[in-house]
Amino acid sequence: MSSGNRPTSLRPASRRLVRTHNLTRLQLASHRPAGRRSNGPVLAPAAGWLVQTPFGAEGLAGRLRSPGSIPRGGPIPALRTIGQAYTGRDNRLTPLRLVLAAAVLVEHAIIVTHGPELPPPLMINDWSLSYAAVNAFFILSGFLIADSLEHRANVFTYAASRALRILPALVLLSLTAILIIGPIVTSLEAAEYWTRPQTWLYPVQVLGFLDTSQGPAGIYAGLPRAGEFSATLWTLRYEVIAYVAAAAVFFSPIPWGRWSHLALFALTSVAFLGLALLWVEAPPLIMSAARLSTAFTLGMMVHGWRDRLPLAPLIAAVALPLWLLSGDAPWAEHVMNVMIASALFWIAFARLGGLPTASRIPDWSYGIYIWHYPIMQTVLFFHPSASPLLIGGIAVPVTALIAAMSWYWVEKPNLGHKAAFGSWLQSVWRRHTTSV
C-alpha cells in the first residue's frame, strides 16, 4: 500500500489496477426540519444521546424504539429486517470496526518491509485486504452518518460532532510526529530538521486533509517506505468530503429518503464504473473520490431501505462467487462492496445463535487505524531486518496501548463537549449574520 497519491508503473500486459488500501496508484500486478423524510418511526433525540461514527461510538447509535428491550452486550433477538435490528448500541459495530482496523494493520505489517513497486501480498483478484477493509469502513460510515443527520437535524451540532470525532486525535498524532518521533528517526541534523518547512507544515497537511504522503523532514530515510509517517491518513480527506456532501443533501431542498439514497448510490456507482471503463488513468484524487463515495452512498442506501432489507446473509452468499468469477472486471468492485455490506450488517445485527454483541468494549479502532503505521515504521527503523511477524508482534501491543490512551485521554473527553461546541458555533453564526 502506498500512503501517498503517487502513480507508479502500469502492468505492461494488462494495465490492470492493483487495488490496495489506496486506489490512487497504478501498480504492477433536535427534530428533523420540515420536509425531511425518512423511513420508519424516528424519535426526537434525547439529552445525552450520542451517535456512532465509522471509527467509534460517540454514544447511543441509532434509534431507541424499545429502550431496554435488549440486554447490553447480550445476544440479539431474532429479527427480520435491518431496521428492526438497529435499535441502539447493542450491536457488533464496535467489534467490526476493530476487526477492520486490524485487517489494515495485518497487511501493513508486511507492506512496510516492501518497496512501493511491489504488489501488496494479501490479494484476491487484485483487491487487497486493506483495500476491502477501507471500503467496509466507508460503507459503515454512510449508514451511520445518514442516521446521525436524521437524529441531529442541526448543522452546527452535526459539524461539531464530526470535528470532535476526527480532529483531536489528529492534533495529537501530528504534534507527536514533529516533536517526539521525528527528531529521533530523521536522517537530518537537528538544526536542519527544525528549520525545514516540511517539518512544520506536517500538522497543516494532516489537519487540512491535504497531502499526507510524506511526514516531517528526513524521517525513516533508507526504509522501503522512506518518508511515510501514517499511511492511512489519506482516506480521511474523503471521509470529510462525504460528511460535507451528505449534510449538503440533507439540509437542502432535495428530498431525503430511500429513493434519494438509492439515486445517490446509482449516480456514484455509474460514475465510478465509467471511470474504470473509459478513464483508467484518471487522476488519483478523482479515482479515490469515486471509489469511496460509491462505498459511502451504499451505506446510505442501506440505511434508507433498512426497514425493507432482510437481515440475512443471502445477498453476500450470492455475491461472493459472482465476485470471485468477475476477476478484475470493472464492475467487480461493485459486487464486492455489495457482498461486504450484506455481510457487515448481518454480522452487526443478526442473532448469530445468541452470540453476545460485546458492545461494551471500548472503541479503539480510530487510534489503531492512524497509529499502527508509524509504530511499524519506527520498529523497522531500529531493526531494519525485522520480519513482518516481528514487526506485527511489537506493533500490536504498542498500537493498542497508544489507541487506548488516545481514546480515554483525547477522543472520548473531547466528544463530551460536542453539544457545547455546537451551541458555540451556532451563536457565532447568529452573531455574524445579525451583524451583516
Side-chain angles (χ1 to χ4, degrees):
M1 188 210 71
S2 170
S3 67
N5 296 328
R6 302 185 298 266
T8 57
S9 59
L10 292 169
R11 180 175 298 174
S14 64
R15 299 170 63 86
R16 293 188 299 173
L17 285 170
V18 173
R19 283 85 174 182
T20 65
H21 172 179
N22 183 352
L23 181 64
T24 61
R25 60 191 179 89
L26 292 167
Q27 275 194 341
L28 292 170
S30 305
H31 292 281
R32 196 178 300 108
R36 297 290 89 182
R37 298 200 302 268
S38 67
N39 305 302
V42 178
L43 302 179
W49 280 25
L50 306 173
V51 177
Q52 277 183 325
T53 71
F55 287 114
E58 297 176 17
L60 185 60
R63 299 154 300 142
L64 286 178
R65 290 183 182 135
S66 305
S69 60
I70 303 175
R72 276 297 301 275
I76 299 175
L79 297 163
R80 294 196 305 174
T81 68
I82 292 174
Q84 287 177 321
Y86 185 48
T87 57
R89 289 186 64 185
D90 288 290
N91 53 58
R92 302 184 188 91
L93 289 174
T94 296
L96 277 173
R97 280 189 295 268
L98 289 171
V99 168
L100 294 176
V104 177
L105 182 153
V106 166
E107 184 167 288
H108 284 176
I110 305 172
I111 282 178
V112 293
T113 64
H114 289 186
E117 297 300 322
L118 294 177
L122 305 175
M123 297 176 59
I124 299 177
N125 290 348
D126 279 351
W127 281 271
S128 73
L129 177 64
S130 60
Y131 184 103
V134 168
N135 281 17
F137 267 127
F138 273 77
I139 291 168
L140 290 178
S141 179
F143 183 91
L144 295 168
I145 291 303
D147 196 70
S148 176
L149 282 165
E150 290 189 6
H151 287 94
R152 294 189 182 281
N154 180 291
V155 67
F156 301 103
T157 55
Y158 173 79
S161 178
R162 302 281 68 77
L164 291 177
R165 187 65 190 97
I166 296 292
L167 291 176
L170 290 182
V171 171
L172 175 64
L173 177 83
S174 58
L175 291 181
T176 302
I178 65 171
L179 299 176
I180 299 176
I181 299 179
I184 298 173
V185 301
T186 185
S187 61
L188 305 177
E189 295 294 332
E192 187 177 2
Y193 173 82
W194 293 116
T195 55
R196 282 279 189 97
Q198 181 181 343
T199 298
W200 298 105
L201 285 175
Y202 185 64
V204 177
Q205 300 280 14
V206 171
L207 299 176
F209 306 102
L210 302 173
D211 181 10
T212 56
S213 61
Q214 294 292 294
I219 64 169
Y220 304 125
L223 297 187
R225 303 281 177 169
E228 293 184 348
F229 187 77
S230 184
T232 57
L233 298 184
W234 71 271
T235 64
L236 297 182
R237 76 171 66 100
Y238 301 101
E239 185 80 19
V240 171
I241 291 171
Y243 291 167
V244 174
V249 173
F250 183 83
F251 293 106
S252 75
I254 299 173
W256 178 269
R258 60 178 179 269
W259 292 109
S260 61
H261 293 177
L262 179 60
L264 286 171
F265 173 58
L267 180 63
T268 55
S269 297
V270 169
F272 186 32
L273 182 60
L275 287 173
L277 288 170
L278 305 174
W279 195 12
V280 177
E281 298 181 17
L285 182 68
I286 294 176
M287 280 302 269
S288 294
R291 163 204 167 186
L292 297 176
S293 64
T294 300
F296 187 89
T297 54
L298 173 57
M300 289 183 63
M301 191 268 290
V302 171
H303 184 269
W305 289 81
R306 63 195 179 278
D307 292 318
R308 286 171 166 79
L309 288 175
L311 187 62
L314 177 61
I315 296 176
V318 172
L320 175 58
L322 182 59
W323 170 60
L324 293 174
L325 292 172
S326 298
D328 66 339
W331 58 83
E333 184 167 345
H334 301 272
V335 180
M336 181 185 73
N337 284 345
V338 170
M339 175 191 69
I340 290 172
S342 175
L344 280 175
F345 294 115
W346 177 63
I347 294 171
F349 303 129
R351 182 174 174 81
L352 301 183
L355 181 70
T357 62
S359 60
R360 289 183 179 272
I361 64 174
D363 193 338
W364 303 343
S365 58
Y366 184 37
I368 292 172
Y369 186 77
I370 65 176
W371 275 104
H372 73 271
Y373 200 87
I375 300 304
M376 291 179 176
Q377 285 278 72
T378 303
V379 172
L380 194 62
F381 176 82
F382 288 107
H383 301 280
S385 61
S387 68
L389 184 61
L390 178 60
I391 291 173
I394 298 174
V396 166
V398 175
T399 301
L401 177 61
I402 294 175
M405 292 189 296
S406 177
W407 171 250
Y408 288 115
W409 296 348
V410 178
E411 299 167 52
K412 190 176 181 180
N414 276 281
L415 289 171
H417 300 297
K418 62 184 177 295
F421 186 35
S423 298
W424 179 80
L425 289 176
Q426 189 164 4
S427 66
V428 170
W429 174 259
R430 285 174 176 172
R431 287 198 301 268
H432 175 74
T433 54
T434 301
S435 62
V436 173

